[in-house]
Amino acid sequence: MNMLVLLKQTFDTDTKIVLKDGRISEDGVTMVINPYDEYALEQAIRLKEAGGGTVTVVCAGPARSEEALRKALAMGADEAVLIDPPADGDEYTLARVLAAACKARPFDLVLGGNLSVDNGASQVAIRVAHELGIPYVGAATKVEVNGGSVRVERDAEGDVEVITAAAPLLITAQQGLAEPRLPSLPGIMKAKKKPITKQTPADLGVDAPARTEVVDLKAADSSRQTKMLAGTAAEQATQLVRLLREEAKVV
Amino acid sequence: MDFDLTQEQRLIVDTARQFATDAVAPGARDRDRSGQFPDELVRRLGELGFFALPFDEEWGGAHDTLSYALAVEEVTRADAALGITFAAHVSLGCFPFYAFGSAAQKERWLAPALRGEILIAFGLTEPDAGSDAGATRTRAHRDSNGEWVLDGSKMWITNGTRAAVLAVTARTQPGERGHGISALVLPADTPGFTAQPIHGKMGLRSSDTASLSFDGCRLPEDSLLGEEGRGFPQFLQTLDGGRISIGAMGVGIAQACLDASLAYAQQRRQFGQSISKFQAIQFKLADMARDVELARLAVLRAAWLKDQGRPFTREAAIGKLYASEAAVASALQAIQVHGGYGYVDDFPVERYLRDAKLLEIGEGTSEIQRLVIARQLGC
């Protein structure tokens, strides 16, 4: 089975977000593979190990993303494609670019993350499926391949929904789909020799200006105040209700 | 000068850090209390291929002492006992086989050791030959059919009871000081060989430290590791490399001291504010940060020189000396920052002090490092 994995490099989830000149600053930030994409990647590698085929990682992102791709190759992907996206693109733009890159190669399965932990728009993968004209199953918690048929268990708001579909299709990973492995030293050394193809939207014949515009970016107000209450439980409860009403104005 | 790591080195360090955070750190306190040797973690380090880091790609390695030092640092930052198990296996156990072993010895012992299937120990120090390694009393002679017969004892041998095979130094020819010493390959199942665990260690409690004894151990004719009579220069070369890994351990402990102290100082409130706002605490944290930075640079430079195939004896001694003293000083300050909480093992800093102290003793005491440096200066 030939598999494509959509992958994005994001901030480490522990990162404190700093706004500078109306943009999110990347100074001194640790970058990681978007955790949801990493579950998708691990799933693809396991499917390859079990049933053969290839895993190609496709990324539309800035040059720094190469590090994330190198890790994906070290984990066991066969090759990678890095597309330099238009700076002013949106999810529509990215989906068009990624879909064009997917179309350029044979595939049976496209895997991606349910969402990215930075923007969290949950837009790109489902749009790619639309562009490719293939079925989409989101938030998978289990994926099994039987010949040309794929059985997916998905997280339906806490319930499990079981779906079967014929390849080709696009699946996104819910948290925990497949716990990612650490790249081993032999994997890291092999990855040095695996190809990363660099392309531009023009190479792919895509011109897809953004359809949305970011008008403003504000940091969430995360200031916290601590107030210790004293007295008996009943007195503290009275004080708490009063403070919630008068100061926090939430009740 | 380029202080950036390569993509591969960053991947190695990230992997080591993630492994240390997820798998090593959670059980470190319990292992320190119980002294339970971390078999499973050693096996996983081998699986990750980390034991081959400083060796050639032919052996599954990266020929990269620098990333090896960084990996030792990361592991030690989480648990110094696993750090020394790792460092001693690679730098003292695997290295002599890699550098001096015959093709057959490498195939039989080095290959499984690099995969983490077996541990190798290095038997150099003796009850009466510590800093004075030239005073080796363990003896080996050839009997009439060419077999080696080994008699004597060794002390403070890391991984001594766990190793499947040991490189043991012994006097094989009459001679003074370093002359006439050779290294021999001793499989642990050789009759006459016993290894006893040493109990009651101040720190590094879940690492394996042993006293060894050899009572007429018979070894095949091809058991020499390297050339006969060349044992002394061979182990000096081995120790040079080992010092880089001990220096890396010092960096790891000092970094752990800084991490723990900074987190505690920011959370602990006294006199109505976080104690990290007091200069008395800030200066301790600043000193730790300085020590971590300088120690890491010194150790990595020695590692880099080694990878370039250039002399690194002086730099390895400086790195080991500075990093081990930085680790002890940082641990003392870390306990002070924590106050009473630093004196009990609910917090890790008292363990950091107990673990760090060994670094000023093992693989050449601080005093021996100063002698090595002074000799390199031409004294």
Side-chain angles (χ1 to χ4, degrees), chain B residues 91-113:
Chain B
S91 288
L92 303 184
C94 296
F95 177 80
F97 280 80
Y98 174 79
F100 314 118
S102 66
Q105 287 166 339
K106 287 180 184 175
E107 203 47 53
R108 175 154 181 213
W109 300 113
L110 182 63

Side-chain angles (χ1 to χ4, degrees), chain A residues 35-40 43 111-115 122 136-143 152-159 171-180:
Chain A
Y36 289 88
D37 300 350
E38 203 172 3
Y39 294 125
Q43 180 65 64
L111 289 139
N114 192 33
L115 54 92
S122 288
Y136 166 89
V137 182
T141 53
K142 191 171 182 184
V143 177
V152 184
E153 290 182 14
R154 66 174 297 272
D155 175 18
E157 297 290 327
D159 289 324
I171 300 169
T172 64
Q174 177 57 296
Q175 187 167 6
L177 171 63
E179 202 53 46

Side-chain angles (χ1 to χ4, degrees), chain A residues 66-67 70-71 74 182-186 188-189 192-193, chain B residues 7-8 10-12 15 18-19 48-49 53 57 60 62:
Chain A
E66 190 177 326
E67 193 168 274
R70 199 60 75 183
K71 181 178 181 187
L182 291 170
S184 69
L185 180 61
I188 292 169
M189 299 307 285
K192 274 168 94 165
K193 298 179 189 96
Chain B
Q7 256 175 18
E8 287 74 35
R10 290 183 63 162
L11 266 177
I12 291 163
T15 301
Q18 201 183 332
F19 174 72
L48 285 171
L53 276 169
E57 282 197 51

Side-chain angles (χ1 to χ4, degrees), chain B residues 44 99 179 187 227 258 280 313:
Chain B
R44 288 188 58 191
H179 300 286
E227 283 175 58
L258 173 59
T313 300

Side-chain angles (χ1 to χ4, degrees), chain A residues 221-248:
Chain A
D221 180 11
S222 62
S223 65
R224 284 190 303 181
Q225 288 183 339
T226 307
K227 190 166 269 185
M228 299 304 290
L229 303 178
T232 66
E235 285 164 0
Q236 289 186 39
T238 311
Q239 286 178 61
L240 179 63
V241 172
R242 185 180 59 76
L243 288 168
L244 288 173
R245 183 180 295 137
E246 292 171 12
E247 289 197 14

